[in-house]
Amino acid sequence: MPEQAQDDSQPPGPSPIQRLHESLINRIAAGEIIHRPASALKELLENCLDAGATSIRITVKDGGMKLLQIQDNGCGIRKSDLPILAERFTTSKIKTFSDLSRLTTYGFRGEALASISHVAHMSVVTKTKTDSCAWKACYSEGVLVPPKAGQTSGPKPCAGIDGTTIIIEDMFYNTPTRLSALRSPSEEYARILDVVTKYAVHNSKVAFLCKKAGSVTPELSTSSTSMDLAIRLLYGHAIGKELLHIEVSSPPPNGTSRTIGSSGSDDTEQWSAEAYCTSPNYQGKKTVFLLFINHRLVESSSVKRAIESVYSGVLPKGAFPFVYLSLEIDPRSVDVNVHPTKREVIFLNEETITERISDAIQQMVSQSHSRTFEYQAGLSTLLLGRSNESNAKVSRKAREEVENGEEVDGEERPASSHPTKLYSQHKVRTSLHDRTLESMIPVLNPSRSDGDDVSKITVGLRDILESNCDLTSILELRKSVQKSVHHDLTEIIKKHTFVGIVDDYRCLSLIQHATKLYLLNHAAVAEEMFYQLALMQFGSYRRLKLDPPPPLRTLLKLAVDAEPGTEKSGLSKNEIVDRIARTLLTRRGMLAEYFEISITSDGEIESLPHLMKEYTPDLNKLPAFLMRLGPQVQWQSEKECFSTLMRELAYFYSPSPSHFIPSIPDGAHTQAKAATWQIEHVLFQAMRKFLVAPKSLLENDVVQVANLPDLYRVFERC
Ligand code: ADP
Ligand code: MG
């Protein structure tokens, strides 16, 4: 017997075993299944999909802890089933013991709703097609409860559409330790979005929407589409454009073609898999792995490891793939109960199946690898020539560093020989009454060059290479630039001598070419050039970081408030702001991937495309730019969408004056000087180098004002 302090009055002995109170047992059991809002959501999503929903809308408050609501348009729940809906082990999916082993629907033990009702307030509104109205029922600890004290607990009739809405409030209100183990609402929300995103990929024919309560703009919104497009939309263009599609299955047994799940003793040997995974051209920071087994999102560290080892052979160290894998096997051969969360799975013949899949991926990946390599080698000689090769490398490195969130040395600095440190709080202004942006954003500014020879700065604009893009829309737009070229005008601009700015406000400048003098609208000409620069670099822009990121809505509000005549639309200014914000937020993914216009889920603008390293657009025009994106961009069709968006981008970049900024007398002179200097030394220089002048410029924007021989003739006559 171990030594211990003796207490004669109370001899040591075992404490009596007591039965825990039933509600406590249920709560503990529920906690095994429902860990956090995202795990509840996973169960609920599976129920919606089981119910045949084609549209699922999720609303979340405080990371799902305060509210998690999920609405579907599935088959609904019969009113007569509502009383036992949240009881443990009540399900419409299993009837007999043998069903349990051949279950193909996701949910399988009737535990999810019961568990949720033990750790949260749960209510359900549901309507089947044959019901004449919807029914609402509230649950606590597995049973129906009255919605309010004094009322009865039965389902109440109410208005509603076909389908089911499950409303979960105050999750873990009765299990404080569980509650305190949760992370911040934003982290929990991120997990929720992660689950929804994965199910939205796997069920690409179903429309998903996920948003925060009270917000009009969803963070995720999909409509029925193909799986590769869903991946592109949800995980981005960088992944979307490198996807390889793989299908592999078990060999048919003795030449017969039996389908999976049909009866027969060797069905457990049958399986099929479909995967979308990235080619080695995509190099992510960590593996993104989506694994669905029989349409349930699960985890399997052994499958993941096997696939990662395929990629470790072709990717550089520290680079990882995106892999989506959907495996269908006989339900009898899956064991999802190894892990209490039911996420980590093991299955029969796991090793053989995993090996076959890894081999198929291996084969596809290495094929794509060699193909891309040859293609790129050919392309780079064609595109880069000798001298630009090192340049391209440098710019690629710069880009990577910018993507990694680091500022490249000298990247965003003034061209002065003594670069001044810029603190982030000085970079962006969000109020009109603050300083102007030019004084915060480093621009090429003569006042900073401290007597340096400014002409040194005007030489050597960085080369801009055409991005490698295979979208037909972009290729067509690029072609039409070449088609509308006016060779003489292009030549004139290429070889001109700058004479001077004639009218700042109307953006008129004089240039000379040979013996002729031309008056041109430099804002319009620069706009054309920026459109072409946008088109040329489509899909791989440098980033112009906005730090701190200004809030989209604030900027929109500024612009809409300053916009005359909005009442004609029949909408209030706020409604217009809402609409535009919604339009932009629903297209966040596309804007970020293609245009580097990165807007956070909270609606902050983190970056814009930087069309030309040496030129920073006048950010006073940012509010108007964002506002115009709403009505001016034709979002519906790809080509028009890209071209109108790039036109707006070009207009934003052009040096046309911003209209609604009140003039700020202090420092106005220096700013005007800086702007003028930029036009002459950067923009005209860039037009020489990059512009493919279209014929259309001759209509309004460039006119010949004098021809020297004619002038001589005039003088001769005098
Ligand atoms: P399981 O999914 O394992 O059956 P759950 O507790 O998740 O158990 O759900 C219990 C039952 O409630 C389901 O079997 C189904 O009949 C019904 N149900 C739950 N959610 C929905 C829904 N969104 N639409 C229709 N029926 C639902
Ligand atoms: Mg279920």
Side-chain angles (χ1 to χ4, degrees):
M1 196 179 152
E3 274 187 20
Q4 43 179 263
Q6 291 294 318
D7 183 345
D8 293 336
S9 61
Q10 262 196 336
S15 309
I17 296 177
Q18 288 175 338
R19 185 175 289 281
L20 287 178
H21 194 274
E22 197 179 321
S23 66
L24 190 55
I25 298 174
N26 282 326
R27 222 173 280 166
I28 294 169
E32 294 288 313
I33 297 172
I34 308 299
H35 294 215
R36 53 179 359 123
S39 52
L41 181 71
K42 175 178 181 293
E43 296 289 337
L44 297 170
L45 277 176
E46 287 168 355
N47 284 345
C48 301
L49 293 161
D50 283 346
T54 56
S55 163
I56 300 175
R57 304 168 66 93
I58 299 137
T59 312
V60 180
K61 198 170 186 172
D62 288 353
M65 300 173 219
K66 191 93 205 92
L67 171 79
L68 184 60
Q69 176 177 316
I70 168 159
Q71 179 183 26
D72 69 46
N73 63 351
C75 62
I77 302 165
R78 295 184 309 167
K79 185 197 168 206
S80 55
D81 286 339
L82 287 175
I84 59 159
L85 178 76
E87 269 176 38
R88 207 144 172 231
F89 307 128
T90 54
T91 173
S92 57
K93 298 164 197 172
I94 308 176
K95 289 191 186 69
T96 65
F97 182 74
S98 63
D99 275 354
L100 189 57
S101 58
R102 62 184 63 210
L103 209 65
T104 49
T105 46
Y106 309 145
F108 56 116
R109 294 193 314 202
E111 276 185 303
L113 294 184
S115 301
I116 292 168
S117 80
H118 283 285
V119 294
H121 300 300
M122 181 174 102
S123 40
V124 174
V125 178
T126 189
K127 179 180 173 309
T128 63
K129 278 205 174 56
T130 50
D131 281 339
S132 51
C133 67
W135 296 95
K136 177 168 183 168
C138 302
Y139 298 85
S140 178
E141 313 210 317
V143 295
L144 279 171
V145 292
K148 286 195 191 116
Q151 294 181 337
T152 57
S153 60
K156 309 268 174 309
C158 64
I161 48 171
D162 288 354
T164 305
T165 304
I166 309 253
I167 302 139
I168 307 209
E169 286 164 297
D170 306 316
M171 192 171 288
F172 303 128
Y173 71 96
N174 54 3
T175 50
T177 20
R178 179 72 67 184
L179 187 62
S180 60
L182 294 182
R183 300 301 188 83
S184 67
S186 60
E187 256 181 71
E188 294 301 327
Y189 188 59
R191 289 171 193 262
I192 286 177
L193 274 179
D194 183 55
V195 171
V196 183
T197 306
K198 289 173 171 164
Y199 274 91
V201 166
H202 185 69
N203 301 274
S204 60
K205 294 284 175 252
V206 176
F208 284 83
L209 185 142
C210 183
K211 69 181 188 80
K212 291 182 183 161
S215 142
V216 278
T217 45
E219 276 71 34
L220 179 148
S221 152
T222 64
S223 46
S224 178
T225 178
S226 62
M227 191 173 288
D228 55 336
L229 280 179
I231 296 174
R232 197 172 177 136
L233 174 76
L234 294 163
Y235 284 93
H237 181 61
I239 287 176
K241 70 180 180 4
E242 298 299 344
L243 287 180
L244 306 170
H245 184 219
I246 293 149
E247 277 177 310
V248 49
S249 57
S250 52
N254 309 323
T256 59
S257 56
R258 238 185 262 148
T259 55
I260 294 161
S262 67
S263 55
S265 57
D266 41 17
D267 279 345
T268 49
E269 303 281 317
Q270 297 297 292
W271 57 273
S272 72
E274 180 181 15
Y276 278 97
C277 44
T278 43
S279 82
N281 292 336
Y282 173 75
Q283 303 180 357
K285 291 197 184 74
K286 59 176 200 258
T287 304
V288 180
F289 184 47
L290 283 69
L291 175 63
F292 284 81
I293 296 188
N294 294 351
H295 310 287
R296 267 186 86 101
L297 178 64
V298 293
E299 272 162 23
S300 161
S301 28
S302 66
V303 179
K304 186 174 181 204
R305 243 180 289 123
I307 294 179
E308 276 182 331
S309 78
V310 169
Y311 276 94
S312 67
V314 285
L315 288 178
K317 200 160 179 288
F320 299 93
F322 166 95
V323 176
Y324 159 86
L325 174 63
S326 168
L327 182 59
E328 285 194 57
I329 50 187
D330 188 299
R332 285 172 296 180
S333 58
V334 202
D335 184 354
V336 286
N337 289 317
V338 274
H339 195 272
T341 66
K342 295 196 291 178
R343 291 199 69 181
E344 179 82 24
V345 296
I346 52 172
F347 45 95
L348 274 186
N349 307 319
E350 189 170 310
E351 259 177 53
T352 330
I353 298 179
T354 308
E355 207 179 297
R356 289 276 322 258
I357 295 173
S358 312
D359 284 352
I361 294 179
Q362 169 93 56
Q363 212 177 348
M364 195 73 161
V365 163
S366 43
Q367 268 173 17
S368 82
H369 197 211
S370 47
R371 202 168 49 226
T372 336
F373 182 75
E374 283 159 20
Y375 174 61
Q376 284 194 333
L379 195 75
S380 60
T381 12
L382 221 146
L383 270 181
L384 304 173
R386 287 161 294 113
S387 55
N388 287 341
E389 205 145 8
S390 56
N391 211 340
K393 270 187 209 129
V394 172
S395 73
R396 197 155 48 231
K397 178 163 185 301
R399 204 181 134 72
E400 276 158 17
E401 282 174 41
V402 174
E403 276 168 357
N404 291 339
E406 295 157 25
E407 293 256 334
V408 180
D409 202 26
E411 164 74 359
E412 306 291 349
R413 290 197 186 141
S416 130
S417 51
H418 306 291
T420 33
K421 170 97 180 126
L422 253 132
Y423 294 99
S424 53
Q425 69 268 29
H426 295 150
K427 281 190 184 163
V428 164
R429 76 180 205 153
T430 48
S431 149
L432 288 179
H433 306 293
D434 293 340
R435 298 158 60 202
T436 66
L437 287 160
E438 268 128 338
S439 60
M440 303 171 209
I441 295 270
V443 288
L444 292 173
N445 183 331
S447 62
R448 300 213 192 127
S449 57
D450 297 333
D452 273 2
D453 179 4
V454 288
S455 65
K456 257 199 319 214
I457 303 161
T458 63
V459 291
L461 289 178
R462 218 174 51 105
D463 285 343
I464 296 179
L465 297 177
E466 187 169 271
S467 65
N468 188 0
C469 174
D470 50 15
L471 293 176
T472 324
S473 53
I474 293 298
L475 297 179
E476 281 175 12
L477 290 170
R478 284 180 181 169
K479 226 181 254 162
S480 66
V481 165
Q482 296 304 335
K483 241 169 88 187
S484 57
V485 60
H486 189 287
H487 291 289
D488 290 346
L489 182 57
T490 306
E491 194 57 21
I492 289 168
I493 291 179
K494 209 169 267 319
K495 304 269 168 66
H496 79 263
T497 310
F498 180 77
V499 178
I501 296 178
V502 199
D503 186 331
D504 263 331
Y505 188 74
R506 291 193 303 167
C507 304
L508 299 176
S509 291
L510 273 179
I511 60 167
Q512 186 192 339
H513 178 260
T515 57
K516 294 184 178 123
L517 207 54
Y518 299 87
L519 185 64
L520 54 79
N521 181 331
H522 57 245
V525 180
E527 188 179 330
E528 182 59 38
M529 173 188 74
F530 281 119
Y531 169 75
Q532 293 173 6
L533 289 181
L535 189 54
M536 203 164 145
Q537 300 169 84
F538 181 87
S540 56
Y541 300 103
R542 308 164 72 83
R543 299 182 76 190
L544 181 60
K545 262 207 264 179
L546 303 184
D547 189 11
L552 171 65
R553 293 183 55 90
T554 312
L555 297 189
L556 285 175
K557 184 104 181 39
L558 279 175
V560 173
D561 282 348
E563 184 74 11
T566 54
E567 57 292 339
K568 275 184 242 142
S569 67
L571 297 173
S572 72
K573 299 242 181 215
N574 278 339
E575 284 166 339
I576 296 178
V577 169
D578 281 345
R579 275 206 190 183
I580 301 176
R582 200 167 15 179
T583 307
L584 297 183
L585 279 164
T586 42
R587 282 144 182 116
R588 268 173 65 214
M590 186 275 278
L591 291 173
E593 274 313 310
Y594 291 138
F595 293 103
E596 293 290 358
I597 302 180
S598 133
I599 308 176
T600 63
S601 54
D602 296 334
E604 290 179 339
I605 306 168
E606 289 179 322
S607 70
L608 298 171
H610 203 175
L611 297 182
M612 204 173 115
K613 185 184 174 224
E614 297 79 0
Y615 181 83
T616 310
D618 175 0
L619 289 190
N620 287 315
K621 290 168 71 180
L622 182 56
F625 165 64
L626 295 165
M627 174 184 74
R628 290 173 57 90
L629 286 184
Q632 303 293 333
V633 173
Q634 291 168 30
W635 298 99
Q636 308 315 329
S637 110
E638 178 178 304
K639 186 170 160 189
E640 271 67 51
C641 169
F642 290 158
S643 81
T644 48
L645 205 151
M646 287 186 289
R647 288 280 172 202
E648 286 306 322
L649 190 61
Y651 180 65
F652 163 57
Y653 261 82
S654 84
S656 65
S658 41
H659 295 292
F660 67 97
I661 301 298
S663 62
I664 302 156
D666 272 359
H669 178 66
T670 358
Q671 277 170 41
K673 231 174 87 190
T676 313
W677 187 91
Q678 276 218 81
I679 291 169
E680 176 180 347
H681 294 93
V682 184
L683 286 186
F684 273 95
Q685 184 77 352
M687 290 177 208
R688 281 194 189 96
K689 185 165 173 149
F690 300 118
L691 183 72
V692 179
K695 303 176 190 98
S696 57
L697 282 179
L698 290 174
E699 285 161 22
N700 289 314
D701 303 314
V702 183
V703 281
Q704 184 190 324
V705 284
N707 181 2
L708 280 184
D710 295 347
L711 280 182
Y712 286 134
R713 240 168 275 145
V714 174
F715 286 129
E716 277 161 13
R717 248 182 276 147
C718 290

Short mmCIF file of all heavy atoms in Angstrom, two decimals, residues 53-82:
data_model
loop_
_atom_site.label_atom_id
_atom_site.label_comp_id
_atom_site.label_asym_id
_atom_site.label_seq_id
_atom_site.Cartn_x
_atom_site.Cartn_y
_atom_site.Cartn_z
N ALA A 53 -31.49 19.77 -51.64
CA ALA A 53 -31.51 21.22 -51.87
C ALA A 53 -30.65 21.59 -53.08
O ALA A 53 -29.63 20.96 -53.35
CB ALA A 53 -31.00 21.93 -50.63
N THR A 54 -31.09 22.63 -53.81
CA THR A 54 -30.26 23.15 -54.90
C THR A 54 -29.78 24.56 -54.56
O THR A 54 -29.05 25.17 -55.31
CB THR A 54 -31.04 23.22 -56.22
OG1 THR A 54 -32.21 24.02 -56.00
CG2 THR A 54 -31.43 21.84 -56.70
N SER A 55 -30.25 25.07 -53.43
CA SER A 55 -29.80 26.39 -53.00
C SER A 55 -29.71 26.39 -51.48
O SER A 55 -30.64 25.96 -50.80
CB SER A 55 -30.81 27.43 -53.49
OG SER A 55 -30.63 28.63 -52.78
N ILE A 56 -28.58 26.83 -50.97
CA ILE A 56 -28.35 26.82 -49.53
C ILE A 56 -27.79 28.18 -49.11
O ILE A 56 -26.79 28.63 -49.68
CB ILE A 56 -27.35 25.70 -49.15
CG1 ILE A 56 -27.91 24.34 -49.56
CG2 ILE A 56 -27.04 25.73 -47.66
CD1 ILE A 56 -26.97 23.18 -49.33
N ARG A 57 -28.46 28.81 -48.16
CA ARG A 57 -28.02 30.15 -47.73
C ARG A 57 -27.68 30.12 -46.25
O ARG A 57 -28.49 29.67 -45.44
CB ARG A 57 -29.12 31.18 -47.98
CG ARG A 57 -29.58 31.24 -49.42
CD ARG A 57 -30.86 32.05 -49.53
NE ARG A 57 -30.62 33.44 -49.19
CZ ARG A 57 -30.33 34.37 -50.10
NH1 ARG A 57 -30.29 34.05 -51.38
NH2 ARG A 57 -30.10 35.61 -49.75
N ILE A 58 -26.53 30.62 -45.93
CA ILE A 58 -26.07 30.56 -44.54
C ILE A 58 -25.88 31.98 -44.02
O ILE A 58 -25.26 32.81 -44.68
CB ILE A 58 -24.74 29.79 -44.47
CG1 ILE A 58 -24.96 28.38 -44.97
CG2 ILE A 58 -24.17 29.78 -43.06
CD1 ILE A 58 -23.90 27.89 -45.88
N THR A 59 -26.41 32.24 -42.83
CA THR A 59 -26.23 33.55 -42.21
C THR A 59 -25.58 33.35 -40.85
O THR A 59 -25.99 32.48 -40.09
CB THR A 59 -27.59 34.24 -42.01
OG1 THR A 59 -28.32 34.14 -43.22
CG2 THR A 59 -27.43 35.70 -41.65
N VAL A 60 -24.58 34.17 -40.57
CA VAL A 60 -23.75 33.94 -39.39
C VAL A 60 -23.59 35.23 -38.58
O VAL A 60 -23.37 36.29 -39.15
CB VAL A 60 -22.35 33.47 -39.84
CG1 VAL A 60 -21.46 33.21 -38.63
CG2 VAL A 60 -22.43 32.23 -40.71
N LYS A 61 -23.71 35.09 -37.27
CA LYS A 61 -23.43 36.26 -36.42
C LYS A 61 -22.39 35.86 -35.39
O LYS A 61 -22.49 34.78 -34.81
CB LYS A 61 -24.73 36.68 -35.73
CG LYS A 61 -24.72 38.07 -35.17
CD LYS A 61 -26.14 38.38 -34.76
CE LYS A 61 -26.38 39.78 -34.31
NZ LYS A 61 -27.81 39.97 -34.13
N ASP A 62 -21.42 36.70 -35.17
CA ASP A 62 -20.33 36.43 -34.21
C ASP A 62 -19.70 35.05 -34.43
O ASP A 62 -19.61 34.23 -33.50
CB ASP A 62 -20.84 36.50 -32.76
CG ASP A 62 -21.15 37.92 -32.35
OD1 ASP A 62 -20.83 38.83 -33.15
OD2 ASP A 62 -21.70 38.12 -31.27
N GLY A 63 -19.30 34.80 -35.61
CA GLY A 63 -18.62 33.54 -35.91
C GLY A 63 -19.50 32.32 -35.69
O GLY A 63 -19.01 31.22 -35.50
N GLY A 64 -20.82 32.52 -35.67
CA GLY A 64 -21.74 31.39 -35.50
C GLY A 64 -22.09 31.14 -34.05
O GLY A 64 -22.93 30.30 -33.74
N MET A 65 -21.42 31.86 -33.14
CA MET A 65 -21.70 31.60 -31.72
C MET A 65 -23.03 32.23 -31.32
O MET A 65 -23.77 31.69 -30.52
CB MET A 65 -20.59 32.18 -30.86
CG MET A 65 -19.25 31.57 -31.20
SD MET A 65 -18.03 32.46 -30.29
CE MET A 65 -16.70 32.64 -31.30
N LYS A 66 -23.30 33.39 -31.89
CA LYS A 66 -24.56 34.06 -31.56
C LYS A 66 -25.69 33.50 -32.44
O LYS A 66 -26.79 33.24 -31.96
CB LYS A 66 -24.38 35.57 -31.81
CG LYS A 66 -25.46 36.45 -31.29
CD LYS A 66 -25.14 36.95 -29.88
CE LYS A 66 -26.40 37.32 -29.10
NZ LYS A 66 -26.94 36.21 -28.30
N LEU A 67 -25.40 33.35 -33.73
CA LEU A 67 -26.43 32.85 -34.65
C LEU A 67 -25.79 32.08 -35.80
O LEU A 67 -24.79 32.51 -36.38
CB LEU A 67 -27.22 34.03 -35.23
CG LEU A 67 -28.18 33.68 -36.38
CD1 LEU A 67 -29.46 33.06 -35.85
CD2 LEU A 67 -28.51 34.91 -37.22
N LEU A 68 -26.41 30.96 -36.11
CA LEU A 68 -26.01 30.20 -37.29
C LEU A 68 -27.32 29.77 -37.92
O LEU A 68 -28.07 29.01 -37.34
CB LEU A 68 -25.19 28.99 -36.85
CG LEU A 68 -24.58 28.10 -37.92
CD1 LEU A 68 -23.62 28.90 -38.78
CD2 LEU A 68 -23.81 26.95 -37.28
N GLN A 69 -27.59 30.33 -39.08
CA GLN A 69 -28.87 30.02 -39.70
C GLN A 69 -28.62 29.45 -41.08
O GLN A 69 -27.80 29.96 -41.84
CB GLN A 69 -29.69 31.30 -39.80
CG GLN A 69 -31.00 31.10 -40.52
CD GLN A 69 -31.83 32.37 -40.53
OE1 GLN A 69 -31.95 33.06 -39.53
NE2 GLN A 69 -32.38 32.69 -41.68
N ILE A 70 -29.34 28.39 -41.40
CA ILE A 70 -29.09 27.76 -42.68
C ILE A 70 -30.42 27.42 -43.33
O ILE A 70 -31.25 26.74 -42.76
CB ILE A 70 -28.11 26.58 -42.52
CG1 ILE A 70 -28.05 25.73 -43.76
CG2 ILE A 70 -28.41 25.72 -41.34
CD1 ILE A 70 -26.77 24.92 -43.79
N GLN A 71 -30.58 27.98 -44.51
CA GLN A 71 -31.86 27.84 -45.20
C GLN A 71 -31.66 27.04 -46.47
O GLN A 71 -30.73 27.32 -47.23
CB GLN A 71 -32.35 29.26 -45.55
CG GLN A 71 -33.66 29.26 -46.28
CD GLN A 71 -34.08 30.67 -46.68
OE1 GLN A 71 -33.26 31.57 -46.84
NE2 GLN A 71 -35.37 30.86 -46.84
N ASP A 72 -32.54 26.05 -46.69
CA ASP A 72 -32.41 25.30 -47.94
C ASP A 72 -33.76 25.22 -48.64
O ASP A 72 -34.79 25.58 -48.08
CB ASP A 72 -31.83 23.90 -47.67
CG ASP A 72 -32.79 22.99 -46.91
OD1 ASP A 72 -33.98 22.92 -47.26
OD2 ASP A 72 -32.34 22.33 -45.95
N ASN A 73 -33.72 24.79 -49.88
CA ASN A 73 -34.96 24.62 -50.63
C ASN A 73 -35.21 23.13 -50.90
O ASN A 73 -35.69 22.73 -51.94
CB ASN A 73 -34.93 25.41 -51.94
CG ASN A 73 -33.82 24.92 -52.86
OD1 ASN A 73 -32.99 24.10 -52.45
ND2 ASN A 73 -33.80 25.38 -54.09
N GLY A 74 -34.81 22.32 -49.93
CA GLY A 74 -34.95 20.87 -50.07
C GLY A 74 -36.37 20.39 -49.79
O GLY A 74 -37.33 21.18 -49.82
N CYS A 75 -36.49 19.10 -49.49
CA CYS A 75 -37.82 18.48 -49.41
C CYS A 75 -38.63 18.89 -48.18
O CYS A 75 -39.83 18.66 -48.11
CB CYS A 75 -37.66 16.97 -49.44
SG CYS A 75 -36.73 16.36 -48.03
N GLY A 76 -37.99 19.51 -47.20
CA GLY A 76 -38.72 19.91 -46.00
C GLY A 76 -38.93 18.74 -45.05
O GLY A 76 -38.57 17.60 -45.35
N ILE A 77 -39.50 19.04 -43.89
CA ILE A 77 -39.73 18.00 -42.88
C ILE A 77 -41.24 17.95 -42.62
O ILE A 77 -41.88 19.00 -42.48
CB ILE A 77 -38.98 18.34 -41.57
CG1 ILE A 77 -37.48 18.49 -41.85
CG2 ILE A 77 -39.23 17.28 -40.50
CD1 ILE A 77 -36.71 19.16 -40.74
N ARG A 78 -41.79 16.74 -42.56
CA ARG A 78 -43.23 16.65 -42.33
C ARG A 78 -43.56 17.14 -40.93
O ARG A 78 -42.82 16.88 -39.98
CB ARG A 78 -43.69 15.20 -42.50
CG ARG A 78 -43.51 14.74 -43.93
CD ARG A 78 -44.04 13.35 -44.10
NE ARG A 78 -43.48 12.46 -43.09
CZ ARG A 78 -43.95 11.24 -42.85
NH1 ARG A 78 -44.97 10.78 -43.54
NH2 ARG A 78 -43.40 10.48 -41.94
N LYS A 79 -44.71 17.81 -40.80
CA LYS A 79 -45.10 18.37 -39.51
C LYS A 79 -45.15 17.27 -38.45
O LYS A 79 -44.72 17.45 -37.31
CB LYS A 79 -46.47 19.05 -39.64
CG LYS A 79 -46.87 19.76 -38.38
CD LYS A 79 -48.35 20.06 -38.33
CE LYS A 79 -48.72 20.50 -36.91
NZ LYS A 79 -50.11 20.24 -36.60
N SER A 80 -45.64 16.10 -38.86
CA SER A 80 -45.79 15.02 -37.88
C SER A 80 -44.44 14.50 -37.38
O SER A 80 -44.37 13.85 -36.35
CB SER A 80 -46.60 13.88 -38.49
OG SER A 80 -45.96 13.48 -39.69
N ASP A 81 -43.37 14.79 -38.10
CA ASP A 81 -42.04 14.35 -37.64
C ASP A 81 -41.39 15.36 -36.70
O ASP A 81 -40.40 15.04 -36.03
CB ASP A 81 -41.10 14.16 -38.84
CG ASP A 81 -41.44 12.90 -39.64
OD1 ASP A 81 -42.09 12.00 -39.06
OD2 ASP A 81 -41.06 12.83 -40.81
N LEU A 82 -41.94 16.56 -36.66
CA LEU A 82 -41.28 17.61 -35.87
C LEU A 82 -41.12 17.25 -34.39
O LEU A 82 -40.07 17.53 -33.81
CB LEU A 82 -41.98 18.96 -36.05
CG LEU A 82 -41.75 19.60 -37.43
CD1 LEU A 82 -42.59 20.87 -37.59
CD2 LEU A 82 -40.26 19.93 -37.61
#
